[in-house]
Structures are given as structure tokens and as C-alpha cells.
Amino acid sequence: MTGPELAEAALLLAAARRPVVFTGAGMSAESGVPTFRDAQTGLWRRYDPQELATPAAFRADPALVWGWYETRRRGVRRAEPNPGHRAVAAIAARLPETVVITQNVDDLHERGGVPAPVRLHGSLFAPRCSACARPAPLPSDLPPSAGPPEPHDGAEPHDGAESHAPEAHDGPLDPPACADCGAPVRPGVVWFGEALPSAALDAAVEAASGCDLLLTVGTSALVHPAAEIPLVAARLGAPVVQVNPVPTPLDAICAVNLRGPAGEVLPALVRAAWPDDAVG
Ligand code: BV8
Ligand code: ZN
């Protein structure tokens, strides 16, 4: 990507001292993690993610919902951060006051070099009890007696035999029971109709209120209250730069709209802002 828009965005980034990078599912698309808009695959294609990602769905069929999250967690384990994630880490390395705010529940920002993004919608790697909220071990962290180990390096089960691990099964899966109260363990994500973690939401609003540039990457900005974060920055006079291959409801508040994939645009933006910085 080149052109006047990139040059304008690079000037804004080079001049920034307290940038916010706000990300959605498009940030991880080039890592092979499906976005929420992408059609579901396999058994899950007949389910609407916004229906599955609800307390009601978990109450109605815990195995269906737990199985869906285990499928997504396995997919993320096999995925790698893309050059876009690394470019975000380069911005944070160059500008220590950078705050990365994500709607994503994958761990690709952390694996891409951003140790502590503000997680608005939780994580696939923080299961807890659905009743007493006691943190629960990830299935793969269960002791051997609890079933064969999960392949950690994303490699296929070495003997390829499906019988190798139940978690290789792509379908309903009974959630583990809480070691304390026996209730079903749930994924540590925020479901539709549930409040966001107040500490994360407060940190996000505070960062957006004090930033001197907000970079919004790969979000359709349709899910609230997260979608209001870029508006907070714009309302307080900070320039907003969007990276998305297609227009979104945020276009109108953006100083610059960079139409392209995050994995290509973000490294180009960092190179243009800091030509001496060899990234990507
Ligand atoms: C709540 C975790 C109340 C789970 C998620 C105001 C107005 C309207 C509705 C509401 C409102 N306030 C509340 C609501 C209801 C609801 C909501 O917003 N509904 C929407 C659908 C209308 N919000 C809630 O329910 C929230 N809770 O309000 O609670 C309350 C308050 C107090 C006390 C009690 C209760 C909770 C919302 C959080 C739900 N959980 N995730 C899970 O992941 O399973 S949301 C989930 O969906 C994601 O986290 C993300 O936020 C959202 C998906 O959006 P995106 O990330 O933007 O992804 P999407 O696929 O949509 O788009 C991808 C984009 O990337 C596209 O634009 C595409 O063009 C682009 N792209 C593609 N490839 C690339 C790319 N970009 C760059 N590079 C590429 N390569
Ligand atoms: Zn419990």
C-alpha cells in the first residue's frame, strides 16, 4: 500500500505520543481466524455466532456451546500472529504510552508482542466456573488421568488417530466441572447481553479520552459498547485512522481510511512513519 492516504496516516502516527490501537476480528483474519462475519464452517455453519455466544445458549446446551469454543480455541492455537500484529507491537515498542484495546478473544496480540492488551470481550484462554467464577484449568492443562494431552505446538496428533484426543473432535463437548462447586465451566468471554468487565471498559474509555491518535483496525463497529471507543476519541478531537478493506460506520469520523488488509497496511504504515524502523 502506498499513496497520499498512507502518507497522511504516517504523519499522524509519527506525530503521536499516546496512540490507541483498537482492533476487531479483521486483525486476525490473515492468521486464519474467521471473523464474526465469516460464515461458520462444519457443524457450526447452521448456528448464528450471536446466538451461540449467549448465556441462554449455554444454559440450553452447554456441550454445544463449550464444543464451539473448544473448536475456536484449537483453531487459535494453530494460528500464528500475522505481520499486522507485529506492526502493532512495533508501534507499542516505539511509543511506550500506546494502549492496545481489542474485542478479539484470541491471544495473537500477546503472541505478536503486545503483552497486555485491554481485553473488552475476554479470552478463549481463561475458562471459569459458570456458578462460582473460580478460574478453571484449560482442558489441555488437565492432569493425564483426565484424558490424553492436547497437541500444544498446533501439530496434528502424531499418529493421526482421531481416537487420540476427544478435544480433536469438532462438535458438542461436555464442559469440565468446577473443582469447587461442580457446576459447568464456561469460556472466559463476554457473551451478548452480558456486561463488559468494568476495569477493561474503564481503561479503554480512559485511553480513548486521552489519546492523540486512534487507529481502528479490522472492526465492523457494530457491537456495543465497544463500537463507541473510536467515537470517544473523535469527540475529544483525536484523529482517527481506519484500516479495513471495506467501508464501515466509522468512515465518517475518520481523518484517513486505509482500504486494505491489516497484515499489509500496518507494516507499510509503520515503515512510512519510521522509515529507519525495519518492520515486516
Ligand atoms: C451488553 C466475545 C448489557 C464472545 C463478543 C447499543 C446498540 C445496539 C445494540 C446494543 C447496544 N448496546 C448493547 C447492545 C447489545 C449487544 C450488541 O452490540 N449487539 C449488536 C450485535 C447489535 N451488545 C452486548 O450484548 C454487549 N453487552 O450490552 O450488556 C448489559 C449492561 C450492563 C449489565 C448487564 C448487561 C456485549 C457485547 C460483547 C459480545 N461478545 N465477543 C465470542 O467471541 O464468542 S462480540 C464479538 O463480535 C467480537 O468480540 C466483536 O466485538 C464482534 C465482532 O465484530 P468485529 O470484531 O468487528 O468483527 P466482524 O466480523 O463483525 O467484522 C470484521 C471486520 O474486519 C469487517 O469490517 C471486515 O471488513 C474487516 N476485515 C476482514 N478482513 C480484514 C479486515 N480488516 C482488516 N484486515 C483484514 N485482513
Ligand atoms: Zn464453581
Side-chain angles (χ1 to χ4, degrees):
M1 167 167 266
T2 55
E5 292 85 6
L6 186 74
E8 192 184 345
L11 285 177
L12 291 169
L13 180 56
R17 288 297 165 269
R18 298 180 310 286
V20 159
V21 183
F22 177 69
T23 68
M27 182 79 235
S28 299
E30 292 151 274
S31 297
V33 178
T35 70
F36 249 67
R37 244 113 288 269
D38 287 339
Q40 300 239 87
T41 55
L43 159 109
W44 313 107
R45 71 181 172 282
R46 51 191 147 95
Y47 298 98
D48 172 356
Q50 281 178 31
E51 272 153 36
L52 278 178
T54 63
F58 186 70
R59 274 193 303 276
D61 190 340
L64 180 72
V65 172
W66 181 258
W68 181 50
Y69 281 97
E70 280 300 280
T71 298
R72 291 172 61 189
R73 189 172 66 82
R74 257 200 330 278
V76 169
R77 266 196 192 286
R78 283 197 295 272
E80 289 298 328
N82 65 57
H85 293 106
R86 302 201 191 288
V88 172
I91 293 171
R94 185 119 196 172
L95 301 172
E97 292 181 75
T98 300
V99 176
V100 176
I101 302 168
T102 191
Q103 300 166 77
N104 300 343
V105 293
D106 64 50
D107 63 348
L108 296 178
H109 274 306
E110 286 89 340
R111 289 159 55 193
V114 174
V118 174
R119 299 198 146 279
L120 291 177
H121 296 160
S123 163
L124 288 171
F125 300 90
R128 66 175 190 270
C129 173
S130 58
C132 73
R134 180 185 188 275
L138 280 169
S140 61
D141 304 301
L142 288 174
S145 60
E150 178 183 333
H152 275 289
D153 56 4
E156 288 310 312
H158 53 73
D159 63 4
E162 270 313 310
S163 64
H164 199 1
E167 63 278 292
H169 157 76
D170 182 5
L173 196 61
D174 288 330
C178 169
D180 259 10
C181 74
V185 168
R186 58 162 287 170
V189 300
V190 179
W191 281 329
F192 288 94
E194 290 187 323
L196 275 56
S198 54
L201 187 54
D202 295 350
V205 170
E206 191 191 333
S209 307
C211 76
D212 51 10
L213 170 69
L214 186 138
L215 204 47
T216 177
V217 182
T219 185
S220 58
L222 297 173
V223 172
H224 294 262
E228 279 133 47
I229 296 298
L231 306 180
V232 170
R235 224 176 278 135
L236 291 161
V240 178
V241 171
Q242 176 168 230
V243 178
N244 197 313
V246 303
T248 76
L250 294 174
D251 277 42
I253 67 157
C254 290
V256 185
N257 286 295
L258 300 174
R259 294 264 183 265
E264 291 168 26
V265 173
L266 291 174
L269 178 60
V270 167
R271 274 198 303 275
W274 303 296
D276 57 356
D277 197 14
V279 167

